[in-house]
Amino acid sequence: MTDYLLLKALLLTEGVHSDKESLEGVGTKYKEQNHGLFGWDFETHKEIKLPDDFYLPDGTVVQYRLNSSSQYNIKKVDENLILYKMKILFAK
């Protein structure tokens, strides 16, 4: 059984990254980040639209924090967004 609150804490402290295909629909289908005063990401991303947050399988909401060196990444597989840890399927 996955501890989704622990996973959320890990994702918030380490961040996550995504491939271009998994970012399709940000700003239309998915809510886009809007940095009014400051941002939570680990790196700047002026040219890339990123999602504001995402859901884990149990419904836990996680803020998307870009970190291209994170061991966590999101990929689009058969129209589903899948969370991987070091290229191993972690959450669907």
Side-chain angles (χ1 to χ4, degrees):
M1 184 172 172
T2 303
D3 183 344
Y4 289 109
L5 288 178
L6 176 59
L7 177 57
K8 177 178 181 168
L10 293 168
L11 290 165
L12 291 175
T13 55
E14 184 167 332
V16 65
H17 62 95
S18 303
D19 58 16
K20 287 185 179 184
E21 291 78 24
S22 64
L23 296 175
E24 292 173 0
V26 172
T28 55
K29 184 177 179 181
Y30 304 108
K31 185 174 135 187
E32 177 185 351
Q33 287 184 356
N34 183 359
H35 300 293
L37 184 57
F38 56 89
W40 295 104
D41 298 298
F42 293 88
E43 53 197 77
T44 60
H45 57 91
K46 291 182 181 181
E47 298 82 29
I48 304 170
K49 289 183 180 180
L50 296 177
D52 191 51
D53 49 35
F54 59 96
Y55 294 91
L56 297 177
D58 72 336
T60 300
V61 179
V62 181
Q63 186 181 52
Y64 190 101
R65 296 181 176 184
L66 178 63
N67 181 357
S68 58
S69 63
S70 173
Q71 62 182 331
Y72 296 98
N73 68 313
I74 297 173
K75 289 188 176 185
K76 191 175 198 177
V77 178
D78 298 327
E79 299 304 314
N80 295 306
L81 297 175
I82 310 294
L83 176 65
Y84 291 88
K85 179 180 179 182
M86 304 208 43
K87 300 183 180 182
I88 299 169
L89 176 64
F90 198 70
K92 203 173 186 176

